Amino acid sequence: MLESWRWFGPTDPVPLSYVRQAGATGVVTALHEIPNGAEWPEDAIARRRDMIREAGLDWIVVESIPVHEDIKCGAPGWERYAHIWAENLRRLARQGIRNVCYNFMPVLDWTRTELNYPMPDGALALRFDFTAYAAFDLFILQRENADRDYAPDDLELAEHWFAQSDSAQQERLTRTIIAGLPGSEESYTLDTLRARIAAYGDMDHAGSRARLGAFLDIVLPIAEEEGVRLSIHPDDPPRDLFGLPRIVSTKDDLDWIIAHNPSPANGVTLCAGSLGVRADNDMLEIIESFGERIHFAHLRTVKREADPRSFHEDCHLAGDTDLVAIIRALLALERRTGRQIPMRPDHGHQILHDQEHQSTPGYPAIGRLRGLAELRGAAAALKGLDTTGT
């Protein structure tokens, strides 16, 4: 596997020199400073690529070109944004970058309710607490008819959370959910978030699939023509939020995406953490099923809590997902297909000096260094076992 590292550009607290010292050879990044829906200047793409090369690394995956909200909700004129997205593929391809990870999550990208959840060893992790999320939806955002989406017990627990919380806790929860986590497409105020959600009307899963299909029908021919591989990222968390349909959460969802358009450019990002939140997602079955469609891998694990809709990020080789088995399956896939799959550690804990210095949520230096070292060690051991036949 190609060891890579997510880097958020020149303002990232973790510089490229640290990435190289961590042992990664590939960089996963994007032009995060470009507004959502705008064209990426080709000279800016070239400068970012050259900056990475000068550090002794390669830009191997784009994560991400944001998919404009008008595309997802089918607003009038959405096609213009799809054609801009396709043009950005052309420009990236001309600069030698041909692996693009993207997502189709409506309104909010990946979502957490806590950024500094204390672990038993003193590390700080990311967490999604379903009750806190419901309390935000019901009593802070006050989304219209939100109560229809919750069972009576959920409503009672959310009301209790809100009643027991103080204004500082409520403000912290609000900032965490709506300000936009690293790599998110947009940030919102409570008013703009309500408006964005309302723009989807009564769209259901079939309607959202139709929106994704229409988008793919425009961009996949360009990707295929330019030799670009598209890798859709699963929903995080992999279930509906704020009454909006999420359609990249299960194997059935991925089956539909590939069946809709069998172009070889139509592929998948295997995010073990996102898919692993759901106990009904069999990760080894997914790897076996999609095989050559897996163009990129995020290797992390989560620990489901007593309410399995709640979870926190665990150490890379712990949690509820067997990353060793996943690495073994990916190595077998590489041998079978004769190619290397870019992978990166994801959502590391804040440990050691991470806690004393500025740290991008989910992307601390030392926590990811630990994760990458564990993944590298597991891969090396598995390769050795396969070589010896034991």
Side-chain angles (χ1 to χ4, degrees), residues 117-165:
Y117 177 65
M119 299 291 288
D121 62 359
L124 301 176
L126 302 174
R127 182 179 185 229
F128 180 86
D129 179 80
F130 184 83
T131 296
Y133 149 74
F136 171 81
D137 189 20
L138 291 158
F139 305 113
I140 299 176
L141 181 63
Q142 297 180 0
R143 177 171 61 89
E144 186 176 1
N145 298 321
D147 58 312
R148 298 177 183 175
D149 294 334
Y150 299 96
D153 287 350
D154 293 331
L155 293 170
E156 183 177 344
L157 289 170
E159 185 174 8
H160 178 74
W161 187 100
F162 186 74
Q164 295 299 311
S165 64

Side-chain angles (χ1 to χ4, degrees), residues 214-231:
F215 168 70
L216 289 175
D217 289 344
I218 289 176
V219 303
L220 279 172
I222 306 304
E224 190 169 345
E225 178 183 331
E226 298 292 341
V228 174
R229 294 168 295 179
L230 302 185
S231 308

